[in-house]
Amino acid sequence: MRGRSPLAGQRFLPVPEVLLNRSRARVRRSVRLAAAALLVPLVAACSSNAAPPVAAGSDTAGKNEDRPLHVTVTPTGRQAAAGKPVTVTAAGGRLTAVTVTDAKGRELTGDLSADGRTWVSGRKAAPGTAYTVTAATRTPGGTAGTSRSSFATVPAGAVNKVDWRPGAGTTVGVAQPVSLVFDRPVRNRAEVERQLKVTTSHPTEGSWGWMRDWSGKDRVDWRPKEYWKPGTEVTVKAELNGTDSGAGGWFVRDYTTRFTVGARQVVEVDLDDHHLTLLRDGRSVRRIPVSGGTPGGEKRSWRGTAVLMSKEGTINMNSETVGLRDAYDKMVDYSMRLTWSGMYAHAAPWNAANLGKANRSSGCIGMSDADAAWFYGQVRPGDPFEITGKDTKGVVAPGNGFGQWNLSWADWQRLSALR
């Protein structure tokens, strides 16, 4: 006899559709969550760049960033070559400040790169000088430090010196150039010219020009394009210390001079009319009879623009010093030098009969004692003498005193070593 199910004979009610739908949704969510849980370790296993977690309080990263950095200084040693900038570099960190000083406490300033890795001095290391380098540093982790080192350069075998015009604190005329005459030859002219700076209180266009001085030495002058504006204050700096002039040796010091431009005074000298006229601010102040150089030979005067170089008072003039043999040897009053070759304006009472009438001097511009005394008191070094005349020796050369005004502006600019 077959057994009977305990549910046999019971009646079952149909399940509503909404309950079936809810049951199916729960099952699907459970399946999705289970699948996601299984995928998590699989994704992590496929990520090759994933870093292992760092435990709280770990300082491994900080230790890596605070490894000692390395500072390098060039030049180096006790016999280093001069004439090169000082360079400081940092590896494994950055520089925050660099100080370079010599034994007298003079500092070589410089510039730090944007990334803090390199510092370079603006000036070159001078010969025969010991330097101390102090570098403040910082590691990537923020640790500050200091590095100190030193080096010394080889002394100069030969030293080049400079003679300046005009002198410091002077007031000069509107045609006064800045003039540097070098004791020894200069071959590195472009390098030297780069170290020369002229600043003015009034915007002034100007240029350097190289020439051979009357003495035979190398010389560089700076003149404005046009005569100076009165009242202009001028500062000249020659930061030459540590610069090699070439065959003439090293510069071992810097030079600075400051001067002021005075009133606009121009002396017009007409040798054909035998008169000079002093103009101040464009107006005639006085007209003076003169006698210039004798025509037809070596006693003729120069023409063109000559600049008053100096007021020398009473001096002995000897013709042998200017190649005129025994033409004269006398004491002369109110002497005002115009060229290195010996042309002056001065008192010439011995030539009174020719003043305002004829040119009968040995090349100078002579006038009476009274006129010379007055004129001497009015003019100043740097005043231009604009000389005209038919029978002259020629135009004053740039190196014969300050004859650069006889060159056009374009020709003058061509004498720069940086053009």
Side-chain angles (χ1 to χ4, degrees):
M1 183 175 180
R2 299 172 62 182
R4 187 177 180 180
S5 170
L7 297 179
Q10 296 188 21
R11 296 179 61 187
F12 293 92
L13 297 175
V15 179
E17 184 66 25
V18 63
L19 294 177
L20 290 173
N21 290 339
R22 289 176 180 172
S23 178
R24 294 188 187 102
R26 290 191 191 99
V27 172
R28 285 195 296 267
R29 282 197 298 272
S30 297
V31 172
R32 285 198 299 268
L33 290 173
L38 290 172
L39 285 174
V40 168
L42 294 177
V43 171
C46 292
S47 179
S48 61
N49 293 326
V54 179
S58 172
D59 62 353
T60 302
K63 289 181 179 178
N64 289 337
E65 291 180 343
D66 275 352
R67 291 174 180 171
L69 57 79
H70 183 65
V71 175
T72 303
V73 177
T74 55
T76 186
R78 311 310 296 174
Q79 294 289 312
K84 297 179 180 179
V86 179
T87 302
V88 183
T89 58
R94 61 188 178 90
L95 303 165
T96 57
V98 175
T99 303
V100 180
T101 56
D102 64 15
K104 295 182 179 180
R106 295 172 298 194
E107 185 176 348
L108 284 183
T109 59
D111 294 313
L112 185 62
S113 62
D115 61 5
R117 299 296 178 85
T118 305
W119 181 94
V120 180
S121 66
R123 301 287 303 277
K124 300 178 180 66
T129 306
Y131 291 97
T132 299
V133 181
T134 303
T137 62
R138 190 174 297 278
T139 66
T143 301
T146 302
S147 172
R148 291 183 176 87
S149 62
S150 63
F151 69 92
T153 55
V154 178
V159 174
N160 205 341
K161 300 179 181 180
V162 180
D163 179 41
W164 280 88
R165 287 174 184 262
T170 56
T171 299
V172 300
V174 295
Q176 176 68 54
V178 177
S179 184
L180 287 70
V181 179
F182 300 96
D183 187 53
R184 292 175 175 270
V186 178
R187 297 293 176 264
N188 298 336
R189 291 185 170 185
E191 182 65 17
V192 169
E193 190 174 330
R194 288 190 186 96
Q195 313 308 315
L196 309 178
K197 303 290 185 295
V198 178
T199 57
T200 61
S201 61
H202 175 79
T204 306
E205 183 180 1
S207 179
W208 292 98
W210 291 85
M211 68 196 76
R212 181 63 57 88
D213 185 65
W214 190 261
S215 64
K217 296 180 178 180
D218 285 340
R219 170 178 151 192
V220 64
D221 287 7
W222 192 96
R223 56 153 273 205
K225 181 179 180 180
E226 300 173 344
Y227 290 160
W228 293 101
K229 180 180 180 180
T232 300
E233 295 179 356
V234 185
T235 300
V236 186
K237 292 184 177 181
E239 296 181 335
L240 293 171
N241 190 18
T243 301
D244 184 5
S245 63
W250 291 85
F251 295 99
V252 295
R253 58 162 292 188
D254 296 334
Y255 299 83
T256 301
T257 188
R258 296 178 178 86
F259 61 91
T260 303
V261 180
R264 182 183 177 87
Q265 293 192 144
V266 178
V267 182
E268 294 182 346
V269 182
D270 187 341
L271 295 177
D272 293 334
D273 186 50
H274 316 299
H275 283 81
L276 69 75
T277 303
L278 175 62
L279 302 174
R280 184 174 296 136
D281 298 325
R283 296 183 178 182
S284 176
V285 177
R286 187 163 176 173
R287 187 168 182 264
I288 296 174
V290 299
S291 179
T294 304
E298 288 301 312
K299 292 184 178 182
R300 292 174 294 174
S301 299
W302 295 100
R303 71 175 185 275
T305 299
V307 178
L308 179 56
M309 300 177 65
S310 58
K311 295 163 67 174
E312 299 178 8
T314 300
I315 62 174
N316 175 254
M317 290 191 178
N318 189 313
S319 56
E320 292 182 354
T321 62
V322 293
L324 293 178
R325 297 179 295 280
D326 59 352
Y328 56 85
D329 183 5
K330 61 182 66 178
M331 300 302 294
V332 180
D333 296 329
Y334 307 112
S335 298
M336 296 161 273
R337 181 182 282 275
L338 298 177
T339 70
W340 284 126
S341 62
M343 185 169 73
Y344 285 77
H346 59 72
W350 58 86
N351 201 20
N354 293 308
L355 300 179
K357 299 177 182 178
N359 294 321
R360 290 292 183 269
S361 79
S362 295
C364 294
I365 299 168
M367 61 196 83
S368 69
D369 278 335
D371 285 337
W374 178 87
F375 186 69
Y376 191 90
Q378 300 297 312
V379 295
R380 60 168 53 95
D383 286 344
F385 282 57
E386 298 176 349
I387 306 168
T388 58
K390 295 178 181 178
D391 195 354
T392 63
K393 284 193 287 190
V395 175
V396 178
N400 187 10
F402 301 132
Q404 53 266 81
W405 294 101
N406 297 308
L407 298 179
S408 69
W409 178 238
D411 287 342
W412 174 252
Q413 288 179 298
R414 293 188 186 99
L415 297 183
S416 167
L418 301 179
R419 296 280 177 175

